[in-house]
Amino acid sequence: MSKPNLYVKQGCPWCADALQYFSQVGLELNVIDVRTDPSRMSELQEISGQTKTPTLKNGDFVVADFDVDEFKQALNENPDEAKKLGLFT
């Protein structure tokens, strides 16, 4: 299984919180900083319909512009995705 993509922006406090959370739960990610790699911004817009971060994409599962509690809520609402990611809330 490929790693989920996490789109972030350098200096974004919600991104820092998300990175810390994912590190704590041991989820390996492809971290894509759209400020240091602006060519990826169009990819972020295509998958999520917006430009805000953090945004996580795993297959068809996308959680856009979230804080950690909102991400946990998305997992609660999508238990199959939580299992795919190896995360249980």
Side-chain angles (χ1 to χ4, degrees):
M1 181 173 115
S2 62
K3 295 179 191 175
N5 287 340
L6 180 66
Y7 297 84
V8 299
K9 291 179 185 167
Q10 192 174 52
C12 164
W14 297 277
C15 297
D17 290 347
L19 287 166
Q20 181 179 8
Y21 167 74
F22 292 127
S23 176
Q24 288 173 343
V25 298
L27 182 61
E28 292 185 33
L29 302 162
N30 292 317
V31 178
I32 301 162
D33 189 324
V34 296
R35 285 198 176 141
T36 59
D37 188 358
S39 67
R40 304 295 293 267
M41 180 62 80
S42 60
E43 184 179 315
L44 170 61
Q45 288 177 300
E46 185 178 315
I47 63 153
S48 67
Q50 49 82 56
T51 62
K52 297 180 181 173
T53 57
T55 293
L56 180 130
K57 180 179 188 312
N58 187 49
D60 292 333
F61 181 66
V62 176
V63 183
D65 184 26
F66 64 87
D67 67 24
V68 171
D69 288 337
E70 291 168 332
F71 182 77
K72 289 178 181 179
Q73 181 61 38
L75 290 182
N76 283 334
E77 294 170 3
N78 297 279
D80 289 342
E81 292 299 330
K83 287 177 188 173
K84 287 179 193 175
L85 291 168
L87 301 175
F88 305 95
T89 58

